Amino acid sequence: MVRAPCCEKMGLKKGPWTPEEDQILISYILKYGHGNWRALPKLAGLLRCGKSCRLRWTNYLRPDIKRGNFTKEEEDTIINLHEMLGNRWSAIAARLPGRTDNEIKNVWHTYLKKRLKQNQPTPDTKTQLSSQTSKCDDEPMSNPTSNVMRIENQGHAPVVLSPQQSSSDFTDSSAVTSENLNMDSSATFPVIDESLWSDIDILSSAETSGMPENNLAMAVDQELQFLFSPDPATLESVCGFGLNTNEEMDFWYDLFMKAGESEF
DNA sequence: AAGTTTCACAACCGCCTAGGC
DNA sequence: GGCCTAGGCGGTTGTGAAACT
C-alpha cells in the first residue's frame, strides 16, 4: 500500500496544537461535522493532516470528553477490563463514558500498571497462579493460552464476541463499574482464542459448500473439543455464560446440534 | 538555586481492516 | 479479485512540569 507523504513533507504542521487551531477545528466540526477527515483541514483552513485533526478531536476536543483525574471506581474498572480484554484500549474506553482510549492507555502505563505490580502476590502465590499469568505485563492475566481473549462483559455474564462485533456494539449499555460487573474479580473464564472464529468460518463454509453432514459434525466436534478443552464441562460453562444474544444463541445451537449435543 | 531525573500526557507512527471502485 | 484510501487501533515518542538531589 502506498503511504501518503508525511505531514511535514506536505508542508503541514506537526506538534502541539495551539488554542487558535483548536478553536478553528471545533467551530468547523460543530458547523459542518467531520464527514471526511482528510478533506477537513483544507476546508477548515488548518495546516494539519486529517489524521492529526481526527486525533485532536477524538482525544481532546470532543465535547463529551470528561477531563480530570480518574476516580477510584474508574481505575478499578480499567483494571478489571484490562484483565479480561488485554490492551484493547478502545474496547475498554467504550465502557467508560467520557474517557478516550489514549487517556486510558496513558493512565495504565503511567500509574495503574505500577499499582498492580505493587499489589502483586508473593512468589509463592505467584507460582500457584502461574497458569493464569502471561509473560507480558500487558497481556490479560487470565489468558494463558490465547493471543487475544474475545470475552467482554455485558452487565452480568461475559459475552463471547464474534469478529463482526465490537465492544462499540454495546455502547448502549450503561457504564461498567466493578460493582455492576457483578462478578468476582478473581473469577476466570474459559478462553476463546481468536482462531476460533476463523475455524468456525471454515466450518461454516464447509457446511454451505455441501460437506456431508456426518463429516461436518465430526469436524465441528473435533474443533470444539480442541478449542474448549480441557474438558467438556468447560465447554458447557462457555455455553452457559456466552450466549447473550439471540443471534449467538442460534448460532451455537445450530453448531451444537450438528456436533451432537450428547457430547456436551 | 541549578541541574538531573521522573512523571504525565498529548501527539505521532505504523500497521491493519473495511469498503469503494 | 485486486488495488487504493480513509479511518481505527495500539505502541511509542516528545516535551513540559514536578520532584528530587
Side-chain angles (χ1 to χ4, degrees):
Chain A
M1 179 172 112
V2 181
R3 287 198 172 284
C6 76
C7 303
E8 274 172 326
K9 281 180 189 163
M10 298 285 284
L12 299 177
K13 203 177 157 193
K14 281 175 69 176
W17 280 65
T18 64
E20 290 75 27
E21 288 176 311
D22 284 346
Q23 200 48 56
I24 292 170
L25 183 60
I26 291 169
S27 50
Y28 182 88
I29 290 177
L30 291 180
K31 212 168 178 180
Y32 304 106
H34 53 71
N36 183 342
W37 284 111
R38 189 151 206 191
L40 188 148
K42 211 177 229 175
L43 296 170
L46 285 164
L47 285 173
R48 295 276 182 175
C49 65
K51 197 169 185 175
S52 182
C53 293
R54 183 173 58 80
L55 281 174
R56 184 64 180 169
W57 175 256
T58 54
N59 288 336
Y60 201 82
L61 299 176
R62 248 170 44 202
D64 56 328
I65 284 182
K66 199 197 285 177
R67 313 294 311 172
N69 293 339
F70 279 67
T71 63
K72 176 84 174 54
E73 199 176 49
E74 284 176 316
E75 288 174 2
D76 290 343
T77 304
I78 293 169
I79 291 169
N80 282 332
L81 290 172
H82 185 271
E83 198 168 316
M84 289 189 291
L85 303 170
N87 296 359
R88 295 178 59 218
W89 307 115
S90 58
I92 295 172
R95 307 306 181 88
L96 286 164
R99 301 297 188 182
T100 67
D101 54 351
N102 206 34
E103 202 177 9
I104 290 168
K105 187 166 58 182
N106 283 333
V107 167
W108 176 261
H109 285 305
T110 56
Y111 173 61
L112 293 180
K113 203 159 79 172
K114 286 170 200 161
R115 196 179 106 183
L116 267 189
K117 267 186 182 163
Q118 281 169 1
N119 298 337
Q120 210 142 52
T122 61
D124 280 353
T125 50
K126 219 175 180 177
T127 316
Q128 289 171 4
L129 294 169
S130 62
S131 65
Q132 293 181 3
T133 53
S134 56
K135 278 180 267 175
C136 171
D137 289 345
D138 290 354
E139 285 172 13
M141 296 193 6
S142 57
N143 180 15
T145 56
S146 69
N147 296 328
V148 180
M149 183 162 74
R150 296 194 62 86
I151 294 176
E152 300 210 8
N153 197 295
Q154 195 181 11
H156 298 292
V159 179
V160 181
L161 295 180
S162 72
Q164 286 73 36
Q165 289 174 295
S166 72
S167 55
S168 55
D169 294 335
F170 298 112
T171 47
D172 58 333
S173 63
S174 58
V176 175
T177 66
S178 50
E179 280 71 27
N180 67 21
L181 279 175
N182 193 25
M183 59 187 287
D184 177 0
S185 63
S186 65
T188 58
F189 300 99
V191 170
I192 312 298
D193 193 276
E194 197 87 56
S195 64
L196 167 65
W197 304 110
S198 56
D199 292 334
I200 284 172
D201 280 347
I202 292 166
L203 293 172
S204 304
S205 48
E207 180 184 18
T208 51
S209 71
M211 181 194 269
E213 187 133 342
N214 283 348
N215 292 359
L216 176 66
M218 265 175 61
V220 173
D221 186 7
Q222 283 171 7
E223 193 62 33
L224 291 173
Q225 292 283 359
F226 171 73
L227 289 163
F228 293 107
S229 57
D231 61 275
T234 305
L235 176 57
E236 196 177 334
S237 69
V238 170
C239 307
F241 76 67
L243 310 178
N244 276 19
T245 68
N246 288 337
E247 259 181 28
E248 280 182 339
M249 196 83 82
D250 291 339
F251 175 80
W252 285 102
Y253 182 76
D254 285 348
L255 208 53
F256 293 151
M257 286 300 284
K258 289 194 170 72
E261 274 183 24
S262 58
E263 290 287 320
F264 309 104

